[in-house]
Coordinates of all heavy atoms in Angstrom, one line a residue:
M184 N 105.8 128.9 107.1 CA 104.8 128.1 106.5 C 104.4 127.0 107.6 O 105.3 126.3 108.1 CB 105.2 127.4 105.2 CG 104.2 126.5 104.6 SD 104.9 125.9 103.1 CE 103.4 125.4 102.3
V185 N 103.2 126.7 107.8 CA 102.7 125.7 108.7 C 102.7 124.4 108.0 O 102.3 124.3 106.8 CB 101.3 126.1 109.2 CG1 100.7 124.9 110.1 CG2 101.3 127.4 109.9
N186 N 103.2 123.4 108.7 CA 103.2 122.0 108.1 C 102.0 121.3 108.6 O 101.8 121.0 109.8 CB 104.5 121.2 108.6 CG 104.5 119.8 108.0 OD1 104.2 119.6 106.8 ND2 104.7 118.8 108.9
D187 N 101.1 120.9 107.7 CA 99.9 120.2 108.1 C 100.2 118.7 108.0 O 101.0 118.2 107.2 CB 98.8 120.4 107.1 CG 98.3 121.9 107.2 OD1 98.1 122.4 108.3 OD2 98.2 122.5 106.1
A188 N 99.6 117.9 108.9 CA 99.9 116.5 109.0 C 99.3 115.8 107.7 O 98.3 116.4 107.1 CB 99.2 115.9 110.2
P189 N 99.8 114.7 107.3 CA 99.1 113.9 106.3 C 97.7 113.5 106.7 O 97.4 113.6 107.9 CB 100.0 112.7 106.1 CG 101.1 112.8 107.0 CD 100.9 114.0 107.9
V190 N 96.9 113.2 105.7 CA 95.6 112.7 106.0 C 95.6 111.2 105.7 O 95.6 110.7 104.6 CB 94.5 113.4 105.1 CG1 93.1 112.8 105.4 CG2 94.6 114.9 105.4
A191 N 95.6 110.4 106.8 CA 95.6 108.9 106.7 C 94.3 108.4 106.3 O 93.2 108.8 106.8 CB 96.0 108.3 108.0
A192 N 94.3 107.5 105.3 CA 93.1 106.9 104.8 C 93.4 105.4 104.6 O 94.3 105.0 103.9 CB 92.6 107.5 103.5
C193 N 92.6 104.5 105.4 CA 92.9 103.1 105.3 C 91.6 102.3 105.2 O 90.5 102.8 105.3 CB 93.7 102.7 106.6 SG 92.8 103.0 108.1
V194 N 91.8 101.0 104.8 CA 90.7 100.1 104.6 C 90.9 98.9 105.5 O 92.0 98.5 105.9 CB 90.5 99.7 103.2 CG1 90.2 100.8 102.3 CG2 91.8 99.0 102.6
D195 N 89.8 98.1 105.8 CA 89.9 96.8 106.4 C 90.3 95.8 105.3 O 90.0 96.0 104.1 CB 88.6 96.5 107.0 CG 88.2 97.4 108.2 OD1 89.1 98.0 108.7 OD2 87.0 97.5 108.4
T196 N 90.9 94.7 105.7 CA 91.2 93.7 104.7 C 91.2 92.3 105.3 O 91.2 92.1 106.6 CB 92.6 94.0 104.1 OG1 92.8 93.2 102.9 CG2 93.7 93.7 105.0
T197 N 91.2 91.3 104.5 CA 91.2 89.9 104.9 C 92.4 89.3 104.2 O 92.6 89.4 103.0 CB 90.0 89.1 104.5 OG1 88.8 89.7 105.2 CG2 90.0 87.7 104.9
I198 N 93.2 88.5 105.0 CA 94.4 87.8 104.4 C 94.0 86.3 104.5 O 93.6 85.8 105.5 CB 95.7 88.0 105.3 CG1 96.0 89.5 105.4 CG2 96.8 87.3 104.8 CD1 97.1 89.8 106.5
S199 N 94.2 85.7 103.4 CA 94.0 84.2 103.3 C 95.3 83.5 103.4 O 96.2 83.8 102.6 CB 93.2 83.9 102.0 OG 92.0 84.5 102.0
V200 N 95.4 82.5 104.2 CA 96.5 81.6 104.3 C 96.1 80.2 104.1 O 94.9 79.9 104.2 CB 97.3 81.8 105.7 CG1 97.8 83.2 105.8 CG2 96.4 81.4 106.9
E201 N 97.0 79.3 103.7 CA 96.6 78.0 103.4 C 97.5 77.0 104.1 O 98.7 77.3 104.5 CB 96.7 77.7 101.9 CG 95.6 78.5 101.1 CD 95.6 78.2 99.7 OE1 96.2 77.3 99.2 OE2 94.9 79.0 98.9
G202 N 97.1 75.8 104.1 CA 97.9 74.7 104.7 C 98.2 74.9 106.2 O 97.3 75.3 106.9
G203 N 99.4 74.5 106.6 CA 99.8 74.6 107.9 C 100.2 76.0 108.4 O 100.7 76.2 109.5
V204 N 99.9 77.0 107.6 CA 100.3 78.4 107.9 C 99.3 79.0 108.8 O 98.1 78.9 108.5 CB 100.4 79.3 106.6 CG1 100.8 80.7 107.0 CG2 101.5 78.7 105.7
C205 N 99.7 79.5 110.0 CA 98.8 80.0 111.0 C 98.9 81.5 111.2 O 98.3 82.1 112.0 CB 99.0 79.3 112.3 SG 98.7 77.5 112.2
T206 N 99.7 82.2 110.4 CA 99.9 83.7 110.5 C 99.9 84.3 109.1 O 100.3 83.6 108.1 CB 101.2 84.1 111.2 OG1 102.3 83.6 110.5 CG2 101.2 83.6 112.6
G207 N 99.5 85.5 109.0 CA 99.6 86.3 107.7 C 100.3 87.6 107.9 O 100.3 88.2 109.0
S208 N 100.9 88.1 106.9 CA 101.6 89.4 106.9 C 101.0 90.3 105.8 O 100.5 89.8 104.8 CB 103.1 89.2 106.7 OG 103.7 88.4 107.7
I209 N 101.1 91.6 106.1 CA 100.6 92.6 105.2 C 101.5 93.8 105.4 O 102.0 94.0 106.5 CB 99.1 92.8 105.4 CG1 98.5 93.5 104.2 CG2 98.9 93.5 106.7 CD1 97.0 93.5 104.2
T210 N 101.6 94.7 104.4 CA 102.3 95.9 104.6 C 101.3 97.1 104.7 O 100.1 96.9 104.4 CB 103.2 96.2 103.3 OG1 102.3 96.5 102.2 CG2 104.1 95.1 103.1
A211 N 101.7 98.2 105.3 CA 100.9 99.3 105.4 C 100.3 99.8 104.0 O 99.2 100.2 103.9 CB 101.6 100.5 106.1
A212 N 101.2 99.7 103.0 CA 100.8 100.1 101.7 C 99.6 99.3 101.2 O 98.7 99.8 100.4 CB 101.9 100.0 100.7
D213 N 99.4 98.1 101.6 CA 98.3 97.2 101.2 C 97.0 97.7 101.8 O 95.9 97.4 101.3 CB 98.5 95.8 101.7 CG 99.6 95.1 101.0 OD1 99.9 95.4 99.8 OD2 100.3 94.3 101.6
L214 N 97.0 98.5 102.9 CA 95.8 99.1 103.5 C 95.6 100.5 103.2 O 94.6 101.1 103.5 CB 96.0 99.0 105.1 CG 96.1 97.6 105.7 CD1 96.3 97.7 107.2 CD2 95.0 96.7 105.3
D215 N 96.5 101.1 102.4 CA 96.4 102.5 102.0 C 95.1 102.7 101.1 O 95.0 102.0 100.1 CB 97.6 103.0 101.3 CG 97.6 104.5 101.1 OD1 96.9 105.2 101.8 OD2 98.4 104.9 100.2
N216 N 94.3 103.7 101.4 CA 93.1 104.0 100.7 C 93.2 105.5 100.2 O 92.1 106.2 100.3 CB 91.9 103.7 101.5 CG 90.6 103.7 100.7 OD1 90.7 103.3 99.5 ND2 89.5 104.1 101.2
G217 N 94.3 106.0 99.8 CA 94.4 107.3 99.3 C 95.0 108.3 100.2 O 94.6 109.5 100.2
T218 N 95.9 107.9 101.1 CA 96.5 108.8 102.0 C 97.2 109.9 101.3 O 97.8 109.7 100.2 CB 97.6 108.1 102.9 OG1 96.9 107.1 103.6 CG2 98.3 109.0 103.8
I219 N 97.1 111.2 101.7 CA 97.7 112.3 101.1 C 98.4 113.2 102.1 O 98.1 113.1 103.3 CB 96.7 113.2 100.3 CG1 95.6 113.8 101.3 CG2 96.0 112.4 99.2 CD1 94.8 114.9 100.7
D220 N 99.3 114.0 101.6 CA 99.9 115.1 102.4 C 99.5 116.4 101.8 O 99.8 116.7 100.7 CB 101.4 115.0 102.5 CG 102.0 116.0 103.5 OD1 102.2 117.2 103.1 OD2 102.2 115.6 104.6
P221 N 98.7 117.2 102.5 CA 98.2 118.5 101.9 C 99.3 119.5 101.5 O 99.1 120.3 100.7 CB 97.3 119.0 103.0 CG 97.7 118.4 104.3 CD 98.3 117.0 103.9
N222 N 100.5 119.3 102.1 CA 101.6 120.2 101.7 C 102.5 119.7 100.6 O 103.5 120.3 100.2 CB 102.5 120.5 103.0 CG 101.7 121.1 104.1 OD1 101.5 120.5 105.1 ND2 101.2 122.3 103.9
G223 N 102.2 118.4 100.2 CA 103.0 117.8 99.2 C 104.3 117.2 99.6 O 105.1 116.8 98.9
N224 N 104.4 117.1 101.0 CA 105.6 116.4 101.5 C 105.5 114.9 101.3 O 104.5 114.3 101.2 CB 105.7 116.6 103.1 CG 105.8 118.1 103.4 OD1 106.6 118.8 102.7 ND2 105.3 118.5 104.5
G225 N 106.7 114.3 101.3 CA 106.7 112.8 101.2 C 106.3 112.3 102.6 O 106.3 113.0 103.6
F226 N 105.9 111.1 102.6 CA 105.4 110.5 103.9 C 105.7 109.0 103.8 O 105.9 108.3 102.8 CB 104.0 110.8 104.1 CG 103.0 110.3 103.1 CD1 102.5 109.0 103.1 CD2 102.6 111.2 102.1 CE1 101.6 108.6 102.1 CE2 101.7 110.8 101.1 CZ 101.2 109.5 101.1
T227 N 105.7 108.4 105.0 CA 105.9 107.0 105.2 C 104.6 106.4 105.9 O 103.9 107.1 106.5 CB 107.1 106.6 106.0 OG1 107.0 107.2 107.3 CG2 108.4 107.1 105.4
L228 N 104.4 105.1 105.6 CA 103.3 104.4 106.2 C 103.8 103.3 107.1 O 104.7 102.7 106.8 CB 102.4 103.8 105.1 CG 101.8 104.8 104.1 CD1 101.1 104.1 103.0 CD2 100.9 105.9 104.7
A229 N 103.0 103.1 108.2 CA 103.4 102.0 109.1 C 102.2 101.5 109.8 O 101.1 102.1 109.8 CB 104.4 102.6 110.2
L230 N 102.3 100.2 110.3 CA 101.2 99.6 111.0 C 101.7 99.3 112.5 O 102.8 99.0 112.7 CB 100.9 98.3 110.4 CG 100.3 98.3 109.0 CD1 100.1 96.9 108.5 CD2 99.0 99.1 108.9
D231 N 100.8 99.5 113.5 CA 101.1 99.2 114.8 C 99.9 98.4 115.4 O 98.8 99.0 115.5 CB 101.3 100.5 115.6 CG 101.7 100.3 117.0 OD1 102.4 99.3 117.3 OD2 101.3 101.1 117.9
P232 N 100.1 97.2 115.8 CA 101.4 96.4 115.7 C 101.7 96.0 114.3 O 100.8 95.9 113.5 CB 101.1 95.2 116.6 CG 99.6 95.0 116.6 CD 99.0 96.4 116.4
P233 N 103.0 95.7 114.0 CA 103.4 95.5 112.7 C 103.1 94.1 112.1 O 103.2 93.9 110.9 CB 104.9 95.8 112.7 CG 105.3 95.5 114.1 CD 104.1 95.8 114.9
G234 N 102.8 93.1 112.9 CA 102.5 91.8 112.4 C 103.8 91.0 112.5 O 104.8 91.5 112.9
P235 N 103.7 89.7 112.1 CA 102.6 89.0 111.5 C 101.5 88.8 112.4 O 101.6 89.0 113.6 CB 103.3 87.7 111.0 CG 104.4 87.4 112.0 CD 104.9 88.8 112.4
Y236 N 100.3 88.5 111.8 CA 99.1 88.4 112.5 C 98.6 86.9 112.5 O 98.5 86.3 111.5 CB 98.0 89.3 111.9 CG 98.5 90.7 111.7 CD1 99.1 91.2 110.6 CD2 98.5 91.6 112.9 CE1 99.6 92.5 110.4 CE2 99.0 92.8 112.7 CZ 99.5 93.3 111.5 OH 100.1 94.6 111.4
A237 N 98.1 86.5 113.7 CA 97.6 85.1 113.9 C 96.2 85.0 113.2 O 95.6 86.1 112.9 CB 97.6 84.7 115.3
L238 N 95.7 83.8 113.1 CA 94.3 83.7 112.6 C 93.4 84.5 113.5 O 93.5 84.6 114.7 CB 93.9 82.2 112.6 CG 94.7 81.2 111.7 CD1 94.3 79.8 111.9 CD2 94.5 81.7 110.3
G239 N 92.4 85.1 112.8 CA 91.4 85.9 113.5 C 91.4 87.4 113.1 O 92.1 87.7 112.2
A240 N 90.7 88.2 113.8 CA 90.6 89.6 113.6 C 91.6 90.4 114.4 O 91.7 90.1 115.7 CB 89.2 90.1 113.7
H241 N 92.2 91.4 113.9 CA 93.2 92.2 114.6 C 93.0 93.7 114.2 O 93.0 94.1 113.1 CB 94.6 91.8 114.2 CG 94.9 90.4 114.4 ND1 95.3 89.9 115.6 CD2 94.7 89.3 113.5 CE1 95.4 88.5 115.5 NE2 95.1 88.2 114.2
V242 N 92.8 94.5 115.3 CA 92.7 96.0 115.1 C 94.1 96.6 115.1 O 94.9 96.3 116.0 CB 91.8 96.6 116.1 CG1 91.7 98.1 116.0 CG2 90.4 96.0 116.1
V243 N 94.4 97.3 114.0 CA 95.8 98.0 113.9 C 95.6 99.4 113.7 O 94.6 99.9 113.2 CB 96.6 97.3 112.8 CG1 96.9 95.9 113.1 CG2 96.0 97.5 111.5
N244 N 96.6 100.2 114.1 CA 96.7 101.6 113.8 C 97.5 101.7 112.5 O 98.7 101.2 112.4 CB 97.4 102.4 114.9 CG 96.5 102.5 116.1 OD1 95.4 102.8 116.1 ND2 97.1 102.1 117.3
F245 N 97.0 102.4 111.6 CA 97.6 102.7 110.3 C 98.2 104.2 110.4 O 97.4 105.1 110.7 CB 96.6 102.7 109.2 CG 97.0 103.1 107.8 CD1 97.6 102.2 106.9 CD2 96.9 104.4 107.4 CE1 98.0 102.6 105.7 CE2 97.3 104.9 106.2 CZ 97.8 104.0 105.3
I246 N 99.5 104.3 110.3 CA 100.1 105.6 110.7 C 100.8 106.2 109.4 O 101.6 105.5 108.8 CB 101.1 105.4 111.8 CG1 100.5 104.7 113.0 CG2 101.7 106.8 112.2 CD1 101.5 104.1 113.9
A247 N 100.4 107.4 109.1 CA 101.1 108.2 108.0 C 101.9 109.3 108.7 O 101.3 110.1 109.4 CB 100.1 108.7 107.0
T248 N 103.2 109.3 108.4 CA 104.1 110.3 109.0 C 104.8 111.0 107.9 O 105.5 110.4 107.1 CB 105.1 109.7 110.0 OG1 104.5 108.9 110.9 CG2 106.0 110.8 110.6
D249 N 104.7 112.4 107.8 CA 105.4 113.1 106.7 C 106.9 113.4 107.1 O 107.3 113.1 108.2 CB 104.6 114.4 106.3 CG 104.7 115.5 107.3 OD1 105.6 115.5 108.2 OD2 103.9 116.5 107.2
D250 N 107.6 113.9 106.1 CA 109.0 114.1 106.2 C 109.4 115.1 107.3 O 110.5 115.2 107.7 CB 109.6 114.6 104.9 CG 109.5 113.6 103.8 OD1 109.4 112.3 104.1 OD2 109.6 113.9 102.6
C251 N 108.4 115.9 107.8 CA 108.6 116.9 108.8 C 108.2 116.4 110.2 O 108.3 117.1 111.2 CB 107.8 118.2 108.5 SG 108.4 119.0 107.0
G252 N 107.7 115.1 110.3 CA 107.4 114.5 111.5 C 105.9 114.6 111.9 O 105.5 114.0 113.0
A253 N 105.1 115.3 111.1 CA 103.7 115.3 111.4 C 103.0 114.0 111.1 O 103.4 113.4 110.1 CB 103.0 116.5 110.7
A254 N 102.1 113.6 111.9 CA 101.5 112.3 111.6 C 99.9 112.3 111.8 O 99.4 113.1 112.5 CB 102.1 111.2 112.6
D255 N 99.3 111.3 111.2 CA 97.9 111.1 111.3 C 97.7 109.6 111.3 O 98.5 108.8 110.8 CB 97.1 111.7 110.2 CG 95.6 111.7 110.4 OD1 95.1 111.7 111.5 OD2 94.9 111.6 109.3
T256 N 96.6 109.1 112.0 CA 96.3 107.7 112.0 C 94.9 107.4 111.7 O 94.0 108.3 111.8 CB 96.6 107.1 113.4 OG1 95.7 107.7 114.4 CG2 98.0 107.3 113.9
C257 N 94.6 106.2 111.3 CA 93.3 105.6 111.2 C 93.4 104.2 111.6 O 94.4 103.6 111.8 CB 92.7 105.8 109.8 SG 93.5 105.0 108.4
V258 N 92.2 103.6 111.9 CA 92.1 102.3 112.5 C 91.6 101.3 111.4 O 90.7 101.6 110.7 CB 91.2 102.2 113.7 CG1 91.1 100.8 114.2 CG2 91.8 103.1 114.8
S259 N 92.3 100.2 111.3 CA 91.9 99.2 110.3 C 91.8 97.8 111.0 O 92.5 97.6 112.0 CB 93.0 99.2 109.2 OG 92.6 98.2 108.2
T260 N 91.0 97.0 110.4 CA 90.9 95.6 111.0 C 91.4 94.7 109.9 O 91.0 94.7 108.8 CB 89.4 95.2 111.3 OG1 88.9 96.1 112.3 CG2 89.3 93.8 111.8
I261 N 92.4 93.8 110.3 CA 93.0 92.8 109.5 C 92.5 91.5 110.0 O 92.6 91.2 111.2 CB 94.5 92.9 109.6 CG1 95.1 94.2 109.1 CG2 95.2 91.7 108.8 CD1 96.6 94.4 109.4
T262 N 91.8 90.7 109.1 CA 91.3 89.4 109.4 C 92.1 88.4 108.7 O 92.2 88.5 107.5 CB 89.8 89.3 109.1 OG1 89.1 90.4 109.8 CG2 89.2 88.0 109.5
V263 N 92.6 87.4 109.4 CA 93.4 86.3 108.8 C 92.6 85.1 108.9 O 92.1 84.7 110.0 CB 94.8 86.1 109.6 CG1 95.6 85.0 108.9 CG2 95.6 87.4 109.6
I264 N 92.4 84.5 107.7 CA 91.6 83.2 107.6 C 92.4 82.1 107.0 O 93.4 82.4 106.2 CB 90.3 83.4 106.8 CG1 90.6 83.9 105.4 CG2 89.4 84.4 107.6 CD1 89.3 83.9 104.5
N265 N 92.1 80.9 107.3 CA 92.8 79.8 106.8 C 91.9 79.1 105.7 O 90.8 78.7 106.1 CB 93.2 78.8 107.9 CG 94.1 77.7 107.3 OD1 94.0 77.1 106.2 ND2 95.1 77.3 108.1
N266 N 92.4 79.0 104.5 CA 91.6 78.5 103.4 C 91.9 77.0 103.1 O 91.6 76.5 102.1 CB 91.8 79.3 102.1 CG 91.0 80.5 102.1 OD1 90.0 80.6 102.8 ND2 91.4 81.5 101.4
A267 N 92.5 76.3 104.1 CA 92.8 74.9 103.9 C 91.5 74.1 103.7 O 90.6 74.4 104.4 CB 93.6 74.4 105.0
P268 N 91.5 73.2 102.8 CA 90.3 72.4 102.6 C 90.0 71.6 103.8 O 90.9 71.1 104.5 CB 90.6 71.5 101.4 CG 92.1 71.5 101.2 CD 92.6 72.8 101.9
V269 N 88.7 71.4 104.1 CA 88.3 70.6 105.2 C 88.1 69.2 104.8 O 87.5 68.9 103.7 CB 87.0 71.1 105.8 CG1 86.5 70.2 106.9 CG2 87.1 72.6 106.3
V270 N 88.7 68.3 105.5 CA 88.7 66.9 105.1 C 87.6 66.2 106.0 O 87.7 66.3 107.3 CB 90.0 66.1 105.3 CG1 89.9 64.7 105.0 CG2 91.1 66.8 104.4
A271 N 86.6 65.6 105.4 CA 85.6 64.9 106.2 C 85.8 63.4 106.1 O 86.0 62.9 105.0 CB 84.2 65.3 105.7
C272 N 85.7 62.7 107.2 CA 85.9 61.3 107.2 C 84.6 60.6 107.7 O 83.9 61.2 108.6 CB 87.0 60.9 108.1 SG 88.6 61.5 107.6
R273 N 84.3 59.5 107.1 CA 83.1 58.7 107.6 C 83.6 57.7 108.6 O 84.7 57.3 108.6 CB 82.5 57.9 106.4 CG 82.0 58.7 105.3 CD 81.3 57.9 104.3 NE 82.3 57.2 103.5 CZ 82.0 56.2 102.7 NH1 80.8 55.6 102.6 NH2 83.0 55.7 101.9
D274 N 82.7 57.4 109.5 CA 83.0 56.3 110.4 C 83.0 55.0 109.6 O 82.2 54.8 108.7 CB 81.9 56.2 111.5 CG 81.9 57.3 112.5 OD1 83.0 57.9 112.6 OD2 80.9 57.6 113.1
T275 N 84.0 54.2 109.8 CA 84.2 53.0 109.1 C 84.3 51.8 110.1 O 85.0 51.9 111.1 CB 85.5 53.0 108.2 OG1 85.4 54.2 107.4 CG2 85.6 51.8 107.4
T276 N 83.7 50.7 109.7 CA 83.8 49.5 110.6 C 84.6 48.5 109.8 O 84.3 48.2 108.6 CB 82.4 49.0 110.9 OG1 81.6 50.0 111.6 CG2 82.5 47.7 111.8
V277 N 85.6 48.0 110.4 CA 86.5 47.0 109.7 C 86.1 45.7 110.4 O 86.2 45.5 111.6 CB 88.0 47.4 109.9 CG1 88.8 46.2 109.2 CG2 88.3 48.7 109.3
L278 N 85.7 44.7 109.5 CA 85.4 43.3 110.0 C 86.6 42.5 109.7 O 87.1 42.4 108.6 CB 84.2 42.8 109.4 CG 82.9 43.7 109.6 CD1 81.8 43.1 108.8 CD2 82.6 43.7 111.1
A279 N 87.1 41.7 110.7 CA 88.2 40.9 110.4 C 87.8 39.5 110.3 O 86.8 39.0 110.8 CB 89.2 41.0 111.6

């Protein structure tokens, strides 16, 4: 029997961080968009690079590998944004 590779299916996503946090983490399962193995084999999911990810956009390889070692990949973009509130200050003149 021929072992067919899994069919990797992934999505782009945005991670929101707050406060003084400058990196975000995510798992491969969070990017999974219906990955299947046509032979019914079990499979694992991984990201390359694995993270954590700094603020900004990052292109990653989403990798599905079945129990027999066959693999498929797709490309996903992970965008990390900081949702910290912006503090605006007025110029103030102090008279003594």
Side-chain angles (χ1 to χ4, degrees):
M184 178 178 201
V185 174
N186 178 50
D187 297 311
V190 179
C193 59
V194 295
D195 297 337
T196 194
T197 298
I198 304 169
S199 298
V200 296
E201 294 185 10
V204 178
C205 295
T206 62
S208 295
I209 196 166
T210 67
D213 294 325
L214 299 180
D215 187 19
N216 192 33
T218 299
I219 62 163
D220 186 277
N222 302 112
N224 295 325
F226 57 87
T227 58
L228 302 174
L230 298 176
D231 182 35
Y236 306 99
L238 296 174
H241 306 274
V242 176
V243 298
N244 291 310
F245 174 91
I246 307 161
T248 306
D249 73 14
D250 295 342
C251 297
D255 187 32
T256 63
C257 62
V258 176
S259 180
T260 300
I261 298 169
T262 303
V263 181
I264 60 172
N265 189 320
N266 282 335
V269 176
V270 178
C272 299
R273 298 185 281 165
D274 288 337
T275 305
T276 302
V277 178
L278 303 173

